[in-house]
Structure formats: C-alpha cells, structure tokens
Amino acid sequence: MTMQGHALDLARDKIRGTGARMTAPRVQVLAAMLGTQRVLSHRDIEDMLGAARLDRVTLYRVLDWLVEQGLAHRIAGRDRVWRFSATGEAHETHGHFQCNRCGKILCLDELSAHSVPLRLPAGCRPERTELTVTGLCAECTV
Amino acid sequence: MTMQGHALDLARDKIRGTGARMTAPRVQVLAAMLGTQRVLSHRDIEDMLGAARLDRVTLYRVLDWLVEQGLAHRIAGRDRVWRFSATGEAHETHGHFQCNRCGKILCLDELSAHSVPLRLPAGCRPERTELTVTGLCAECTV
DNA sequence: GTTGTATATGCAACACAGTTGCGATTCCGT
DNA sequence: ACGGAATCGCAACTGTGTTGCATATACAAC
Ligand SMILES: [Mn+2]
Ligand SMILES: [Mn+2]
Ligand SMILES: [Zn+2]
Ligand SMILES: [Zn+2]
C-alpha cells in the first residue's frame, strides 16, 4: 500500500512534468508500470488494473503517449507483442532476454547495445539497436 | 527465365533431399525465395506468386515446413510480421537492419551475434541472440 | 498402369494485437 | 463557474497468423 502510494505519487509527478493533462488512465497505467520490475504487455496491464478497468483503446493510446513522452519504452518480442517498461533510463540501449516458453522479458542491464560495432549498407540511417537473447528462463527450465 | 529455371531446379533438389513429398506449393515458394536476396514476408511471397496463387493457409504451412526442414529462416521484425529467407546459412547468427518506414529487412552479414558477450541472470538458458538495427533505409531517407 | 493410403491442400471460421473515426466527456487556464 | 481543446469510450475495422475438417494427390507397393 505504501509501495503503491509511492508509485502513484511518482507517476503523478512524472505526468505533471510533461505539461500535458493529468488523467486517471495515465496515472494508473504509469503507476502500475512503476510498481513492478517486470516488462508488461497490454494484456498484463489490463489484468493488473482489474477493478479500475479502462477501455482497450485508451490503454493503447496511453502506452503510446508514455513512450512519446519518454516515460516508458517499448520492446518487441518474438511473439510479436509489444511490451512496456517504465523503469530506468538506459532501457533504450540495453539488451533483453525473452523466454521462449512463458514469453516473459527480463532486462539485461549490463548488456549495452552501444557495444555493438555497426557497419551498415550505404544510405542506411540507424536509429536504434535492439539486442534480444531468447531461450528459457530460470522458472521454465525443466 | 534461366535464373528462374535454376531456382526451380535447386528448389526441387532441396525438397527431394528432405525425403518428404514434392508438391507444387513447396517448389514454387522455395524457388521464389531462392531467386531473390530479399527477406520475404508472407504477403511478399503471395504477391510474387501472382498467377500461381495458392491458399493463404497453405503458404503459412509451407513456410513453417521450410523452417522445420532447415531450408529457410524466420526473422522477427519490429512489426508483427514474420519474414523468411532461404539464402545462406548464417541467418541464425548475423544481425539485420529493418527500415522503420517501409519495413524492409536487410541482412548485416558482417555483424555477428556471436560477438556479443552474454551475461545472463542465473538459471537462464540462452538459445539464440537476435540483433536488429532499426532506422531508415537508403530509399526511405528523405 | 492401378490401387491404397498417409500426407498435403483448400476452405471456412476463428483468435488476437493493434488501429481508426467520431461523438461524449473532462481537464484546466481564464 | 465557463469554454474549448485534449482525452476518453465505444464500435467497427485491419492485418497476421491459427485450427478443424473434408477433399485431393504424391508416391510406394503391387
Ligand atoms: Mn529494459
Ligand atoms: Mn539474414
Ligand atoms: Zn519462462
Ligand atoms: Zn525503407
């Protein structure tokens, strides 16, 4: 409860900082993301909200907005589902691990995408390097 | 025509090599993939086949089968679209570049995923490392 | 060649992530 | 309070990929 209260306050601060409107959906979604270490899918967040349910489309739009504002980052897994995280700053550049069985994504904070030496075809303008290791997570290893 | 004939013969050889049935859909799809350097989506292949149209589901199943047999590789991009390639052997390990605007994928043959030093959380078993650079391709740069 | 059968195809219906348009609501500066 | 732009909620839609099942066919045995 204290933890959740803190996440709510933090979420409100961050949203206030953008200068845009502070709305219940934005606060709730960002607080949910701040309150966990996990990388959450749209569906994960829907489930977490439970009672405070909000429209599917609104959730998609809030997530897009959080990414635009730099308050969250978006990760593409091999299951072709977007996942979102609000923790840390270096997330744009570090690698991720995705479990082939349960789909869970972990952040590999020590694995920097910047350490990869780029040599691109002529004319290509790189924007971002994504580094994803797939395999089995500790819980799914038999 | 000579080029296409060669791709057809090569496709037939490879399919015969699996010991499974040789069917028109398999030959046509594999030949289409062997006849290009590009990394093709389901839709790309449908368009290429044109007259020799075949059922959507059959195409999905042929692609799955080609991957199972090791005759093609499947690449996950940032959009929710699988892309396939029959060329080379190193697709599992080298990096790829995907254009944020047109979705095209290029192979970065010189960028090896093996060069990335892994340091995973305890218990995680890595199977594959994916390295994708996103940005704008030469044709989409304004 | 004919036949039998496991295998592959084609169709219809479905699942699921994500998007678009638009009218109704609400945040917030005045 | 008030007004208007920003945001929300709903419905309908798109696109990719999957499942179930009846039909067709590759190919091995004869
Ligand atoms: Mn991360
Ligand atoms: Mn490749
Ligand atoms: Zn797992
Ligand atoms: Zn492009």
Side-chain angles (χ1 to χ4, degrees):
Chain A
M1 203 42 149
T2 321
M3 204 61 185
Q4 283 183 28
H6 179 253
L8 279 171
D9 288 345
L10 190 53
R12 275 190 269 263
D13 281 352
K14 285 176 182 269
I15 291 168
R16 209 183 335 267
T18 68
R21 284 196 193 171
M22 179 138 56
T23 67
R26 285 176 180 172
V27 173
Q28 282 162 4
V29 172
L30 183 52
M33 294 173 70
L34 288 168
T36 180
Q37 296 283 20
R38 295 177 49 210
V39 184
L40 302 171
S41 66
H42 179 277
R43 174 63 77 90
D44 290 334
I45 297 174
E46 267 187 341
D47 293 346
M48 287 172 71
L49 293 184
R53 175 171 235 81
L54 53 98
D55 186 74
R56 280 166 30 81
V57 178
T58 301
L59 177 49
Y60 277 117
R61 291 201 269 233
V62 166
L63 290 170
D64 285 348
W65 180 84
L66 289 171
V67 171
E68 265 172 38
Q69 301 300 317
L71 296 179
H73 79 273
R74 188 197 314 262
I75 299 164
R78 271 189 77 79
D79 52 6
R80 302 179 319 288
V81 175
W82 295 116
R83 283 181 178 75
F84 300 84
S85 169
T87 58
E89 301 296 314
H91 282 254
E92 288 296 331
T93 59
H94 69 215
H96 294 97
F97 176 88
Q98 179 164 30
C99 177
N100 282 330
R101 205 174 137 272
C102 68
K104 185 169 52 189
I105 291 187
L106 305 171
C107 297
L108 305 178
D109 304 288
E110 299 181 11
L111 179 51
S112 167
H114 285 151
S115 68
V116 177
L118 292 189
R119 182 86 62 90
L120 299 177
C124 288
R125 286 196 191 173
E127 282 170 14
R128 191 174 159 186
T129 300
E130 254 181 75
L131 222 162
T132 307
V133 182
T134 58
L136 288 179
C137 77
E139 281 142 35
C140 289
T141 307
V142 276
Chain B
M1 203 43 149
T2 320
M3 204 62 184
Q4 282 183 29
H6 179 252
L8 279 172
D9 287 346
L10 189 53
R12 275 191 268 262
D13 281 352
K14 285 177 183 268
I15 290 167
R16 208 182 335 266
T18 68
R21 283 196 193 171
M22 180 138 56
T23 66
R26 286 175 180 172
V27 173
Q28 281 162 6
V29 171
L30 183 52
M33 294 172 71
L34 288 168
T36 181
Q37 297 283 19
R38 293 178 50 212
V39 184
L40 301 172
S41 65
H42 179 278
R43 174 62 78 89
D44 290 335
I45 298 173
E46 267 188 342
D47 293 346
M48 287 172 72
L49 292 184
R53 176 171 235 81
L54 53 98
D55 187 73
R56 281 166 28 79
V57 178
T58 301
L59 177 49
Y60 277 117
R61 292 200 270 233
V62 166
L63 290 170
D64 286 348
W65 181 84
L66 289 170
V67 171
E68 265 172 38
Q69 301 301 316
L71 297 179
H73 292 284
R74 170 190 267 123
I75 298 164
R78 271 186 77 78
D79 46 16
R80 317 192 311 116
V81 178
W82 294 116
R83 283 180 177 76
F84 300 85
S85 168
T87 59
E89 301 296 314
H91 276 264
E92 290 293 334
T93 59
H94 68 215
H96 293 96
F97 176 87
Q98 179 164 29
C99 177
N100 282 330
R101 206 174 136 271
C102 69
K104 186 170 51 190
I105 291 187
L106 305 171
C107 298
L108 306 178
D109 303 287
E110 299 181 10
L111 178 51
S112 167
H114 286 149
S115 68
V116 177
L118 292 189
R119 181 87 61 92
L120 299 177
C124 288
R125 286 195 192 173
E127 282 170 14
R128 191 175 160 187
T129 301
E130 254 181 76
L131 223 162
T132 307
V133 182
T134 58
L136 289 179
C137 76
E139 281 142 35
C140 289
T141 306
V142 275

